């Protein structure tokens, strides 16, 4: 148990760790070269100063040392331990708030190749992971078959999803899953940047990159509004800011809170539906689904309601980005700070196998399949999906910026539109949340068969869509 003052000091220390992480990132060349966010540096620093590294070393030299349990008191670490599963809800609630959501037909026309490629990345990670679980991890290492879901949860979902799924893994009896997930997410984001940078260099030398390295920069707005927003919306927002008696950031946080509440109501309704229908037979899925994918749906609902009522000016996307960014930093730092190194060490073989398999699948899809899925600018558009599938969305955006800094290929728009068909399902969406429960309820072979069928569908659709679009 902890008190409110403990929570206060836990986040004060976290803020200081982020500052130190930023300083390290600026001063250490290898960290800067890997484009690692300051939050990851801060989280690793907190881990090193904790009981598993500094504490273990100090205790080995002198068991009576005050540092034998690390720098941070246990109550602070307990606050951090519970933080990821809370703040990840805010991250997902922010994904679509303030975004311009065009008609589905327009989105699909522009983003269908991107959707197909992203789905191939994600469902293939399930197929590869579950095959490894059935053929190697469970029979050879005695691991829980739930290990087969780890590649998608971590490589496609990133640290936030890995942290959000930690409690689900524990509830389903896979205690090691929480720590392995966070370690794999770290491998994913590092390998994503390294592999992406290497592939971009290879793409330029091989002539696969069609855009010029130079071009006209995109127009920016001094007020921080979206460049594609209507002037009437900007004017209405300016009037709103003048009339407000609260800070605009607070108002936007209110809409984030509303999105989370709507997501919670949806989740509770689904749990009730399950209890009254298929749950009576013993099949339980919704009780293991965390709140964050429902928070994403709640955010979409809030945004659509604001648009339908002509009040979309009340939400500022730059401010929503700030709220989501802070929540993601808290999620990442606290999740990394409480990783059990002993758990990862005791499962080193499966950890290395899953890491190598995830990296190999992602590179294979990008190099071999992306040119046969994307009818135009396959490299510029595919590199973003590969980055997302090996780290987080920001990794994908980083690689797009590296290869096409002035957005000549339209990769940014296609990548953004794809999320509407992607995030609600995989990469932290509904199936990501439900997959471990499905493995427990129906077994890994059944889920492998399901994901193989879905992967096959997206492969067939991707090839067909490529031929159709190249003929237009």
């Amino acid at each position: 148990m902890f008190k409110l003052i403990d929570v206060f000091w836990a986040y004060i220390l976290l803020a200081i760790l982020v500052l130190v992480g930023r300083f390290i990132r600026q001063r250490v060349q290898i960290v800067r070269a890997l484009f690692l966010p300051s939050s990851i540096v801060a989280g690793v620093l907190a881990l090193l100063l904790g009981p598993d590294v500094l504490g273990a070393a100090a205790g080995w030299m002198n068991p009576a040392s005050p540092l034998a349990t690390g720098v941070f008191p246990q109550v602070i670490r307990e606050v951090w331990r519970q933080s990821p599963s809370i703040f990840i809800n805010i991250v997902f609630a922010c994904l679509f708030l303030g975004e311009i959501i065009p008609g589905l037909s327009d989105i699909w026309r522009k983003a269908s190749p991107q959707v197909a490629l992203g789905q191939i990345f994600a469902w293939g990670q399930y197929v590869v992971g579950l095959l490894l679980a059935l053929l190697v991890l469970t029979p050879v290492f005695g691991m829980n078959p739930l290990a087969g879901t780890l590649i998608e949860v971590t490589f496609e979902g990133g640290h936030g999803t890995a942290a959000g799924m930690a409690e689900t893994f524990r509830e389903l009896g896979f205690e090691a899953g929480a720590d392995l997930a966070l370690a794999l997410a770290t491998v994913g984001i590092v390998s994503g940047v390294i592999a992406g940078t290497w592939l971009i260099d290879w793409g330029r030398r091989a002539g696969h990159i069609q855009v010029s390295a130079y071009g006209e920069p995109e127009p920016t707005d001094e007020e921080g509004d979206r460049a594609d927003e209507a002037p009437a919306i900007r004017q209405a927002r300016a009037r709103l800011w003048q009339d407000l008696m609260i800070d605009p950031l607070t108002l936007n946080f209110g809409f984030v809170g509303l999105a989370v509440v709507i997501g919670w109501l949806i989740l509770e309704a689904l749990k009730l539906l399950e209890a009254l229908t298929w749950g009576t037979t013993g099949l339980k899925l919704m009780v293991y689904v965390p709140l964050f994918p429902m928070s994403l749906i709640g955010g979409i609902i809030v945004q659509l309601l604001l648009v339908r009522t002509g009040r979309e000016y009340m939400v500022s996307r730059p401010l929503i980005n700030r709220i989501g960014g802070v929540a993601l930093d808290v999620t990442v730092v606290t999740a990394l700070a409480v990783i059990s190194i002993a758990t990862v060490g005791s499962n080193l073989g499966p950890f290395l196998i899953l890491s190598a398999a995830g990296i190999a699948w992602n590179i294979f899809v990008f190099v071999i399949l992306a040119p046969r899925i994307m009818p135009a600018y396959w490299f510029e558009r595919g590199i973003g999906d590969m980055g997302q599938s090996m780290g987080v969305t920001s990794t994908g955006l980083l690689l797009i910026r590296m290869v096409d800094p002035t957005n000549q290929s339209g990769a940014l728009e296609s990548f953004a539109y794809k999320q509407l068909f992607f995030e609600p399902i995989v990469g932290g969406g509904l199936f990501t949340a439900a997959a471990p429960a499905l493995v427990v309820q129906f077994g890994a072979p059944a889920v492998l068969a399901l994901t193989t069928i879905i992967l096959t569908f997206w492969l067939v659709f991707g090839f067909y869509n490529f031929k159709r679009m190249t003929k237009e």
Side-chain angles (χ1 to χ4, degrees):
M1 296 295 294
F2 47 79
K3 300 178 181 179
L4 184 58
I5 189 65
D6 299 321
V7 178
F8 172 77
W9 283 114
Y11 294 128
I12 290 295
L13 290 173
L14 183 146
I16 294 173
L17 283 168
V18 171
L19 288 177
V20 177
R22 174 66 179 175
F23 176 81
I24 294 174
R25 187 184 185 281
Q26 293 297 105
R27 299 291 179 176
V28 179
Q29 177 61 31
I30 188 171
V31 175
R32 191 166 65 253
L34 290 175
F35 296 96
L36 289 178
S38 300
S39 57
I40 290 182
V41 179
V44 172
L45 178 62
L47 177 64
L48 295 176
L49 295 176
D52 282 3
V53 181
L54 177 63
W60 178 73
M61 291 186 291
N62 178 15
S65 170
L67 295 177
T69 57
V71 171
F72 310 107
Q74 180 59 34
V75 67
I76 298 295
R77 289 176 52 80
E78 186 57 34
V79 174
W80 289 348
R81 191 178 306 278
Q82 297 186 32
S83 295
S85 61
I86 302 300
F87 282 87
I88 189 61
N89 300 307
I90 297 175
V91 174
F92 275 74
C94 291
L95 286 180
F96 290 110
L97 277 175
E99 289 284 3
I100 296 175
I101 304 178
L104 291 180
S105 59
D106 293 336
I107 295 174
W108 185 251
R109 188 181 68 256
K110 296 177 181 178
S112 57
Q114 207 96 23
V115 172
L117 186 64
Q119 297 285 349
I120 289 168
F121 272 115
W123 295 106
Q125 289 177 1
Y126 277 119
V127 172
V128 171
L130 290 166
L131 277 174
L132 285 173
L134 290 171
L135 300 178
V136 181
L137 302 182
T138 299
V140 176
F141 296 95
M143 291 203 76
N144 192 312
L146 289 175
T149 66
L150 284 175
I151 296 178
E152 198 278 340
V153 167
T154 59
F155 275 48
E156 196 71 65
H159 285 89
T161 303
M165 292 294 293
E167 192 59 34
T168 298
F169 284 129
R170 295 189 185 101
E171 291 177 1
L172 294 172
F174 186 29
E175 290 288 336
D179 295 308
L180 286 173
L182 290 165
L184 279 169
T186 302
V187 170
I189 194 170
V190 172
S191 62
V193 174
I194 293 175
T197 303
W198 174 77
L199 285 168
I200 289 171
D201 179 65
W202 166 74
R204 292 198 186 281
R205 287 186 286 104
H208 296 307
I209 298 176
Q210 296 176 261
V211 301
S212 169
Y214 306 96
E216 293 297 323
E218 293 182 292
T220 58
D221 189 274
E222 294 180 359
E223 301 298 325
D225 294 322
R226 291 175 57 94
D228 51 358
E229 280 184 325
I233 295 178
R234 301 189 188 193
Q235 294 168 7
R237 183 177 296 128
R239 290 194 298 269
L240 176 67
W241 287 172
Q242 292 174 356
D243 295 338
L244 278 179
M245 298 301 291
I246 58 174
D247 190 278
L249 188 66
T250 306
L251 176 68
N252 279 260
F253 187 66
F255 285 110
V256 175
L258 180 60
V260 174
V261 169
I262 291 174
W264 177 80
L265 290 173
I266 294 173
L267 182 58
E268 291 301 307
L270 290 173
K271 287 180 179 178
L272 179 60
L273 177 63
E274 179 178 74
L276 296 175
T277 54
W278 64 83
T280 58
T281 65
L283 174 60
K284 295 182 178 180
L285 297 175
M286 300 312 302
V287 293
Y288 299 115
V289 174
L291 177 57
F292 66 84
M294 302 302 173
S295 298
L296 180 149
I297 296 174
I300 294 175
I301 292 173
V302 170
Q303 179 63 20
L304 290 175
L305 287 174
L306 289 171
V307 172
R308 291 291 177 86
T309 58
R311 292 179 171 84
E312 64 266 39
Y313 62 85
M314 299 183 74
V315 173
S316 168
R317 185 61 202 174
L319 293 182
I320 292 294
N321 281 335
R322 297 291 176 264
I323 294 170
V326 170
L328 181 59
D329 285 339
V330 172
T331 300
V332 170
V333 176
T334 55
L336 290 174
V338 296
I339 288 178
S340 172
I341 293 179
T343 300
V344 176
S346 62
N347 295 278
L348 185 60
F351 170 75
L352 294 176
I353 291 172
L354 288 169
S355 299
I359 294 170
W361 168 255
N362 291 328
I363 293 178
F364 167 79
V365 171
F366 175 70
V367 174
I368 304 300
L369 298 183
R372 296 164 174 81
I373 300 291
M374 297 286 188
Y377 297 106
W378 73 265
F379 196 102
E380 294 86 346
R381 296 190 177 192
I383 197 72
D385 286 308
M386 195 209 71
Q388 182 181 33
S389 69
M390 296 181 73
V392 287
T393 302
S394 57
T395 304
L397 293 173
L398 168 68
L399 295 179
I400 290 174
R401 287 295 189 186
M402 288 174 64
V403 72
D404 185 11
T406 56
N407 194 30
Q408 301 168 58
S409 66
L412 282 176
E413 289 83 358
S414 297
F415 184 79
Y417 290 154
K418 180 207 72 174
Q419 308 308 320
L420 291 172
F421 301 92
F422 187 82
E423 295 286 1
I425 303 169
V426 286
L430 291 174
F431 192 87
T432 300
L438 290 172
V439 171
V440 170
Q441 292 288 340
F442 299 104
V447 179
L448 173 61
L450 173 63
T451 53
T452 300
I453 292 171
I454 297 174
L455 172 62
T456 302
F457 166 80
W458 284 110
L459 283 168
V460 172
F461 171 80
F463 296 144
Y464 165 78
N465 192 54
F466 174 84
K467 290 181 180 179
R468 181 183 62 83
M469 295 187 73
T470 51
K471 291 179 180 179
E472 291 181 355

